[in-house]
Amino acid sequence: MDNNFFGDNFVNKNGPCKIKLSDMKVIVLYFCASWCPPCVNFTPTLVEFYNDVNLETKQLEIIWVSYEESESQFKKYLEEMPWPAIPHNDKRIQQLVDKYEIKGIPTVTVLRKNGDVAKKNGKQDVIKEGEGAYNLWEQLVNSE
């Protein structure tokens, strides 16, 4: 994964953090917000999926791309997530929304190592396949 586009500065519930995305087998961008009822309903399912997939070995990274309106909302919702986020009001948020043509939330975008889209919205994969969605995504990430 090209860290130049994403950078390596993120935040998690413990504060600022750095992530080496190239170490992950699958990278997912999670576009959502706490004011969005479908997001609030889906986030616990995605948290369980993330924890199950990474139980033995960390192989999946999800990065939250926030649609929060305030820093306090951002920090509060981040507390529910085991993955990192792009900081609130960071210029990369709009760049990613534009690059991946995000039209609605929640959106779970699975990326190839070069940053291209492997799956536009993997939300239904998580709902229907559970942990098996990871295997589908890994195949998509590694296909041409």
Side-chain angles (χ1 to χ4, degrees):
M1 176 61 64
D2 180 6
N3 266 26
N4 292 332
F5 185 76
F6 292 95
D8 59 1
N9 293 314
F10 299 92
V11 294
N12 62 27
K13 55 185 153 191
N14 299 317
C17 62
K18 291 196 181 283
I19 301 168
K20 191 171 179 188
L21 295 175
S22 58
D23 290 345
M24 296 296 115
K25 290 183 180 179
V26 175
I27 306 291
V28 172
L29 299 177
Y30 182 39
F31 298 85
C32 76
S34 64
W35 50 260
C36 163
C39 297
V40 171
N41 289 335
F42 178 68
T43 296
T45 302
L46 192 59
V47 168
E48 183 178 347
F49 168 77
Y50 178 87
N51 290 335
D52 288 348
V53 167
N54 290 322
L55 186 62
E56 293 181 18
T57 304
K58 179 102 183 224
Q59 51 193 349
L60 166 69
E61 191 59 88
I62 296 174
I63 298 169
W64 179 33
V65 184
S66 168
Y67 276 63
E68 295 301 337
E69 297 169 355
S70 73
E71 179 79 20
S72 62
Q73 288 173 314
F74 173 82
K75 288 180 177 178
K76 184 176 180 190
Y77 202 36
L78 184 59
E79 285 290 322
E80 298 178 26
M81 301 178 187
W83 49 75
I86 294 175
H88 181 67
N89 279 342
D90 189 292
K91 66 180 181 180
R92 292 175 290 171
I93 293 172
Q94 191 59 51
Q95 291 170 344
L96 292 169
V97 168
D98 293 344
K99 177 177 175 68
Y100 297 111
E101 301 175 345
I102 304 304
K103 304 294 185 211
I105 56 174
T107 298
V108 176
T109 302
V110 181
L111 302 178
R112 291 197 168 87
K113 296 288 183 187
N114 64 3
D116 289 347
V117 173
K119 179 90 180 201
K120 180 76 172 166
N121 194 348
K123 178 184 168 205
Q124 289 303 317
D125 294 342
V126 173
I127 292 169
K128 292 178 182 173
E129 304 293 331
E131 197 175 338
Y134 174 80
N135 297 324
L136 297 172
W137 294 352
E138 191 174 22
Q139 289 174 357
L140 288 171
V141 165
N142 293 316
S143 68
E144 290 299 318

